[in-house]
Amino acid sequence: MDRYGYELPLLLAGAFRRIIDELHRRLAEQGHPDLRPAYGFALQAIGADGCTVSDLGRRLGVSKQAATKTTAKLAALGYVDRTPDPADARAVLLTVTPHGRAALTESARIFEELRAEWKKTLGATRLRALEDDLAKLTPSETPTPLIDLPGWFH
């Protein structure tokens, strides 16, 4: 039976939602109950070297005000430190704390578990084919698909 065109984006969104919801359920069990998907994007965007709030806004494709609000919450939860930028007194420098790095490390581990579960459900060949097909459909001139997705690989 053929599916309707509108079903494809719904199926993709549903699969994404399932992975992300399960990730956050497991992160909560591992001591990160307040971590939300948007916070994960922000932590990735801040990166290992840190960045300013303005840089974070650009990387995430949001306003400086939205980046400020997100980082205030992340700081209150202990995931980032906010300090004056020594290069620009008007700017705030963001760095990921050890607690934030632990959350990112745990996220990576959980993503590996989730992929292994999909591999068990779909089989190794079908999962690899799915990943290969999705990579073909993901426009990118870089070796890493979605390198330009705001915040994901910075």
Side-chain angles (χ1 to χ4, degrees), residues 16-17 19-25 27 32-45 60 70 74 104 107 111 150-152:
F16 177 79
R17 176 78 185 262
I19 288 173
I20 298 302
D21 286 352
E22 184 60 18
L23 167 72
H24 285 275
R25 187 189 70 70
L27 280 171
H32 303 282
D34 296 317
L35 200 58
R36 301 289 176 258
Y39 301 161
F41 279 100
L43 289 171
Q44 288 283 342
L60 293 175
T70 298
L74 285 169
L104 290 172
S107 292
F111 275 131
W152 197 250

Side-chain angles (χ1 to χ4, degrees), residues 8-85:
L8 179 59
L10 295 174
L11 291 167
L12 291 169
F16 177 79
R17 176 78 185 262
R18 181 176 175 199
I19 288 173
I20 298 302
D21 286 352
E22 184 60 18
L23 167 72
H24 285 275
R25 187 189 70 70
R26 294 181 192 189
L27 280 171
E29 290 176 350
Q30 299 300 317
H32 303 282
D34 296 317
L35 200 58
R36 301 289 176 258
Y39 301 161
F41 279 100
L43 289 171
Q44 288 283 342
I46 293 167
D49 297 328
C51 68
T52 66
V53 173
S54 294
D55 289 337
L56 179 63
R58 281 190 290 279
R59 291 175 183 181
L60 293 175
V62 301
S63 69
K64 182 179 175 185
Q65 292 79 7
T68 299
K69 183 176 178 180
T70 298
T71 58
K73 184 65 175 177
L74 285 169
L77 294 170
Y79 290 100
V80 299
D81 282 328
R82 297 163 35 110
T83 57
D85 185 347

Side-chain angles (χ1 to χ4, degrees), residues 111 115-116 118-119 122-138 145:
F111 275 131
R115 186 182 183 280
W118 279 43
K119 185 176 180 180
L122 298 175
T125 302
R126 287 191 67 199
L127 177 60
R128 185 62 188 177
L130 173 63
E131 292 170 331
D132 289 346
D133 288 345
L134 290 171
K136 286 177 195 172
L137 296 170
T138 304

